[in-house]
Amino acid sequence: MSLKLLDDLYNKIDKFRGFGPKNLILFEKLCGDRLLDIIFHLPSSLIKRLKIKDLKNEYLFKRVIVNGKINKTWFSNKAPKISIVSIEVNNQKLEIIYFNVNKNWFSNNFIINNNIIISGELTKKGNKYQIIHPDIIQKKDSEEIIPIYETTYPLTAGLSHKKIKTAIKYSIESVPEFSEWINKDLLKSYNWYSFNQSLYKLHFPKNKEEIDNNNLYIERLAYDEALSRQLALNLIRKHKQKIEQSILTNNDTLKNILLNKLPFELTEDQKAVLKSIYKDINSSKRMYRLLQGDVGSGKTVVAFLSLIHVIENGFQGALMAPTEILAYQHYVFFKKYENILGIKIALLTSKLQKNIKSNNIIDISKGKINLVIGTHAIIQSNIKFKNLRLAIIDEQHRFGVYQRLELSKKSPNTDFMVMTATPIPRTLVLTDYGDMDISIIHTKPKNRPKINTISVSIPRMREVIKAISRAVENNEQIFWVCPLVNDSEKLDLAAAETRQTYLNKFFPDNVALVHGKMDSKQKEEALLKFSKNKKNILVSTTVIEVGIDIPNATIMIIEHAERFGLAQLHQLRGRIGRGNKKSVCILLYDQKIGDIARERLKVMRETNNGFLISEKDLKLRGAGEILGTKQSGGQMFKVLDISKHENLITIANQNSKLIINKNPNLLGSEGKKIKNLLNLFGQDKAIKLIKSG
């Protein structure tokens, strides 16, 4: 469907004179190169200017607008090259000073006896008033008016502030007049302006009242973005519900065999979650569920029992893990029960031996393999299942809404479940998982000991060595996590390889090493030695963040803990305390520590609750870093800040349901308004589902 109203906004900025290919690259890097992207490149601060007629001390260090007549100019060719203009302001002298400025530009702009207008910060040296590098100079008879209030923007190397302002001016002028998509009562209750007014006043405030209303404009646009996301999620959910499945039944033979063989009993939370999962899988509607559980809460067993459920009904199951280490560990755990259950389980990763992999692929297509465990190699186009019914994605909370949708298209008759041991804050669940049903395992098995967490400065490392010496004597095992593989002079961080060499001096031939640059065979050998207690210490990078299960490991040391996010620290801590022995997590930190890092360490010492930690992490770091969008160069939202606008997200969630229930196919003039909104905020993929459905 073509939305002609928005056509101009889809143009790139090089449509306008003065913007070439280099500018396109820079704008793409900064905010996007379409006019639609540029209108949402929001101001970061505000310049306030003071119009003055005389030079007075009370105006010092303020940005002023002043008129004057040029009476003298001169240059200094010695370094630093200085260019000076002397102008007369109401019988007073003002010096305009430039350093290393182009001579031709200077001569063309400052001509004796010309009247000019200058904007810049007024300073004073001795008795001389000065403005160093004015931000604006223009002829007195210029038609362009220097604004009293001017917004400033985040920059990138190669793009001047003037260039960005010009691009924003052109982009805003291309915004059509939209019909209102928010109901009048909501607009009135929040004192919001229209979309067009909010956008314009935010970028080009004209007076103090418009400056004071800045938060109202942002709030209005943030709500629009929240509403667009919630509408998209509801459309995706409706689309998924249209796909019919064959109805399954509860056949508990294999499940009961497995439960009887497990060395523990299921918690009440695990039982409740499994009941919901079985109900979903048994129904004619396709399951799309997010399973959250804190570290060590027992999600893997829930996944296994869910997969056994479809296998008992004659279908295949698949479990996808983000790393080969985790995939292999799941495989080893599940394989223990293969003969007991009378099923066939296979591993599938990109680094598997070619002949084994080829045989597995053939057996999967023929239905000879009931359960496939592997990395994302599982969902490649050459892998054909005979009758895949349930696919579980482990530790992939960084899959976006539309990525999950594309993934599900690879197996249109498959139920999907996404698992994460990184508890997701409530507002993130609303904004990124509204297309899914949510299950949460809150409680941990009763025998799990509480992990004591302490922080120790790096200069006290010898004390830590003494502490782990006692643990080694007791045949306990220790994780030692470093942030880098190789030494980096630039970052001055201890590296895993260097740390292994250092620890070997104290614990000869008793320190294993795992990092991301090792091949899978080397990783497996190192982990096998550690898991079989042939090595007491495992030095590692964050590749062991999730899924590694060593019940005998009682100490986790995280070096340069101040460099890690809260959620990652909590995940790493979750690698210990899996047996019945007392466990301790030691956070080694640099003494030159910032306030936010100090707060993170404090939170880690005070609580083991992953859900509380995730909420705190959201406040400290923001959604972009938690979901990985900042690291990958992506941007989760244009205006919406989910740590500040939680109330708007809740309201948008409620209103989106009303809108979609009333007009699921977005028909008529009201539907057109909603489509405009979805297109404005990049949620147009959801509109296509209406046509396909």
Side-chain angles (χ1 to χ4, degrees):
M1 178 181 172
S2 174
L3 290 167
K4 291 182 180 178
L5 194 63
L6 277 81
D7 280 354
D8 283 349
L9 288 177
Y10 291 125
N11 286 322
K12 297 193 174 186
I13 192 63
D14 64 346
K15 168 189 174 183
F16 296 104
R17 188 179 174 183
F19 292 87
K22 285 184 180 178
N23 295 135
L24 276 186
I25 294 167
L26 292 170
F27 271 100
E28 176 60 35
K29 178 184 173 185
L30 182 65
C31 60
D33 57 13
R34 302 174 305 165
L35 306 190
L36 181 56
D37 305 313
I38 294 167
I39 64 172
F40 292 118
H41 186 59
L42 300 187
S44 56
S45 59
L46 183 79
I47 294 171
K48 183 182 177 182
R49 296 185 174 92
L50 190 64
K51 224 170 188 177
I52 63 171
K53 292 182 179 179
D54 303 302
L55 304 175
K56 296 179 182 178
N57 287 346
E58 64 189 86
Y59 303 141
L60 287 176
F61 309 111
K62 293 179 180 176
R63 199 177 294 257
V64 299
I65 302 171
V66 62
N67 301 331
K69 184 179 181 180
I70 300 171
N71 55 30
K72 191 178 180 181
T73 64
W74 67 93
F75 307 95
S76 165
N77 289 318
K78 293 179 182 179
K81 292 179 180 179
I82 302 174
S83 305
I84 301 176
V85 185
S86 177
I87 70 169
E88 187 181 313
V89 178
N90 207 9
N91 296 320
Q92 294 173 290
K93 280 188 179 180
L94 172 65
E95 284 186 344
I96 308 300
I97 301 172
Y98 289 94
F99 293 94
N100 300 314
V101 75
N102 182 280
K103 250 186 181 181
N104 289 333
W105 176 87
F106 184 82
S107 299
N108 290 334
N109 280 278
F110 298 102
I111 300 168
I112 304 296
N113 292 325
N114 273 7
N115 286 300
I116 60 170
I117 305 172
I118 306 111
S119 164
E121 185 181 331
L122 186 68
T123 59
K124 198 173 187 182
K125 188 174 182 180
N127 293 321
K128 292 179 182 178
Y129 286 102
Q130 296 179 335
I131 292 178
I132 300 171
H133 280 275
D135 55 87
I136 300 174
I137 58 156
Q138 60 187 44
K139 292 177 182 177
K140 192 177 180 183
D141 56 1
S142 171
E143 291 182 6
E144 196 172 333
I145 298 169
I146 298 175
I148 298 294
Y149 298 101
E150 185 181 4
T151 47
T152 64
Y153 296 83
L155 303 175
T156 190
L159 271 183
S160 67
H161 189 254
K162 186 177 180 181
K163 203 78 174 174
I164 288 172
K165 286 287 289 187
T166 305
I168 285 168
K169 181 176 176 290
Y170 287 148
S171 301
I172 295 289
E173 286 171 356
S174 301
V175 177
E177 192 65 40
F178 289 108
S179 298
E180 187 56 73
W181 45 73
I182 299 179
N183 69 66
K184 290 178 182 178
D185 291 338
L186 190 60
L187 284 172
K188 190 176 178 181
S189 65
Y190 278 91
N191 296 315
W192 285 339
Y193 294 79
S194 71
F195 174 86
N196 295 70
Q197 287 174 318
S198 298
L199 198 62
Y200 188 84
K201 289 174 187 288
L202 189 60
H203 285 291
F204 304 110
K206 290 179 180 175
N207 50 49
K208 189 175 183 300
E209 184 187 354
E210 292 187 357
I211 296 296
D212 292 341
N213 284 333
N214 182 273
N215 283 339
L216 281 180
Y217 313 141
I218 291 175
E219 208 176 61
R220 158 70 211 240
L221 299 176
Y223 176 77
D224 287 333
E225 187 163 26
L227 182 62
S228 72
R229 173 60 72 100
Q230 294 304 314
L231 287 163
L233 290 169
N234 275 286
L235 285 169
I236 291 168
R237 183 183 276 268
K238 278 208 171 287
H239 171 76
K240 288 173 183 171
Q241 288 172 347
K242 290 176 183 176
I243 299 168
E244 293 288 323
Q245 299 272 57
S246 55
I247 295 172
L248 305 189
T249 57
N250 284 332
N251 179 357
D252 296 331
T253 306
L254 293 183
K255 290 198 284 286
N256 286 335
I257 292 171
L258 178 58
L259 288 169
N260 288 330
K261 292 293 179 181
L262 290 173
F264 51 81
E265 288 187 10
L266 297 185
T267 64
E268 292 305 312
D269 274 6
Q270 286 173 315
K271 291 175 185 175
V273 166
L274 279 167
K275 190 175 178 182
S276 299
I277 291 168
Y278 296 155
K279 185 181 177 183
D280 276 3
I281 295 173
N282 290 350
S283 77
S284 61
K285 299 294 180 186
R286 193 178 187 192
M287 179 178 79
Y288 222 81
R289 184 170 288 277
L290 169 68
L291 174 59
Q292 287 194 81
D294 208 345
V295 285
S297 60
K299 295 177 302 302
T300 304
V301 171
V302 169
F304 197 7
L305 285 161
S306 302
L307 291 161
I308 294 299
H309 182 74
V310 298
I311 291 168
E312 286 194 293
N313 277 273
F315 291 92
Q316 292 170 297
L319 175 64
M320 287 175 277
T323 65
E324 292 199 3
I325 290 176
L326 186 52
Y328 183 73
Q329 182 164 298
H330 283 319
Y331 174 70
V332 170
F333 171 68
F334 289 6
K335 194 79 173 173
K336 287 191 294 187
Y337 299 96
E338 184 182 49
N339 292 333
I340 296 166
L341 298 171
I343 62 174
K344 185 71 176 171
I345 301 173
L347 180 68
L348 199 63
T349 65
S350 57
K351 293 180 181 177
L352 203 63
Q353 286 181 17
K354 196 172 181 181
N355 62 322
I356 297 173
K357 188 175 180 180
S358 298
N359 290 335
N360 283 350
I361 290 171
I362 293 167
D363 288 347
I364 289 166
S365 66
K366 290 181 177 179
K368 291 181 179 180
I369 291 172
N370 308 105
L371 174 55
V372 184
I373 299 166
T375 56
H376 290 149
I378 290 176
I379 57 168
Q380 289 174 357
S381 56
N382 64 321
I383 310 299
K384 305 291 182 187
F385 285 84
K386 184 181 180 182
N387 55 359
L388 180 64
R389 178 58 187 259
L390 175 60
I392 299 177
I393 308 164
D394 192 15
E395 290 302 338
Q396 277 300 290
H397 59 287
R398 289 181 183 178
F399 262 146
V401 176
Y402 295 107
Q403 287 171 304
R404 292 196 299 268
L405 192 60
E406 288 303 311
L407 181 63
S408 68
K409 287 177 183 176
K410 291 181 182 291
S411 294
N413 297 312
T414 303
D415 289 312
F416 268 84
M417 185 160 76
V418 178
M419 297 198 305
T420 178
T422 305
I424 302 166
R426 197 183 72 86
T427 43
L428 270 184
V429 169
L430 273 180
T431 55
D432 220 45
Y433 296 94
D435 59 320
M436 307 177 77
D437 292 307
I438 314 293
S439 289
I440 300 176
I441 303 175
H442 288 284
T443 55
K444 295 182 183 180
K446 291 177 183 177
N447 63 336
R448 290 283 166 92
K450 185 181 176 183
I451 301 166
N452 184 32
T453 302
I454 60 173
S455 51
V456 178
S457 63
I458 287 173
R460 295 171 57 198
M461 192 181 290
R462 283 298 183 104
E463 294 175 38
V464 175
I465 299 291
K466 283 183 182 179
I468 64 174
S469 296
R470 291 190 292 271
V472 170
E473 285 172 13
N474 292 331
N475 202 30
E476 294 174 22
Q477 289 177 280
I478 298 103
F479 287 106
W480 191 303
V481 177
C482 301
L484 292 178
V485 175
N486 297 309
D487 282 328
S488 167
E489 290 176 8
K490 193 174 180 181
L491 294 176
D492 193 31
L493 296 177
E497 290 173 343
T498 305
R499 187 56 62 221
Q500 184 201 26
T501 303
Y502 175 76
L503 291 173
N504 264 326
K505 294 175 184 177
F506 302 95
F507 310 100
D509 199 34
N510 202 9
V511 185
L513 175 68
V514 171
H515 59 69
K517 291 186 179 179
M518 296 166 71
D519 63 40
S520 55
K521 192 174 181 182
Q522 288 175 311
K523 288 178 196 170
E524 284 170 22
E525 284 175 1
L527 282 171
L528 202 60
K529 284 178 183 177
F530 188 63
S531 65
K532 290 189 173 181
N533 209 359
K534 291 180 179 179
K535 301 270 186 182
N536 285 92
I537 301 169
L538 177 68
V539 174
S540 165
T541 55
T542 56
V543 293
I544 58 98
E545 182 182 336
V546 292
I548 305 303
D549 193 4
I550 312 291
N552 194 46
T554 58
I555 298 176
M556 166 63 72
I557 298 163
I558 305 170
E559 195 164 344
H560 281 286
E562 76 278 0
R563 304 273 180 168
F564 294 84
L566 261 177
Q568 197 172 34
L569 288 171
H570 182 60
Q571 285 295 314
L572 289 167
R573 178 170 61 183
R575 296 310 101 215
I576 58 172
R578 291 177 167 256
N580 51 19
K581 295 178 182 177
K582 286 184 179 180
S583 299
V584 63
C585 177
I586 302 171
L587 306 173
L588 279 174
Y589 66 92
D590 193 320
Q591 286 179 307
K592 296 174 184 176
I593 190 171
D595 291 340
I596 291 177
R598 195 178 296 280
E599 179 65 21
R600 283 201 293 264
L601 300 187
K602 181 174 178 280
V603 171
M604 287 295 293
R605 291 194 303 269
E606 290 177 350
T607 183
N608 280 275
N609 186 314
F611 291 92
L612 290 177
I613 286 170
S614 72
E615 296 291 343
K616 191 68 178 177
D617 202 25
L618 178 62
K619 288 185 174 72
L620 289 174
R621 288 200 300 157
E625 289 192 25
I626 290 174
L627 291 177
T629 54
K630 284 189 183 175
Q631 293 92 325
S632 64
Q635 188 177 358
M636 189 178 178
F637 294 112
K638 300 171 189 288
V639 186
L640 185 69
D641 183 335
I642 65 172
S643 60
K644 293 178 184 175
H645 299 132
E646 185 176 353
N647 64 318
L648 300 182
I649 295 165
T650 304
I651 296 165
N653 177 256
Q654 294 164 353
N655 286 340
S656 67
K657 288 173 182 173
L658 293 173
I659 292 165
I660 297 301
N661 287 337
K662 187 178 178 182
N663 190 359
N665 294 314
L666 303 183
L667 301 173
S669 59
E670 291 302 313
K672 195 174 285 186
K673 293 176 189 177
I674 296 301
K675 287 175 183 175
N676 284 333
L677 172 65
L678 290 166
N679 275 273
L680 270 173
F681 288 98
Q683 302 295 339
D684 45 304
K685 287 182 183 176
I687 300 173
K688 293 170 186 173
L689 293 176
I690 300 169
K691 294 172 75 175
S692 67

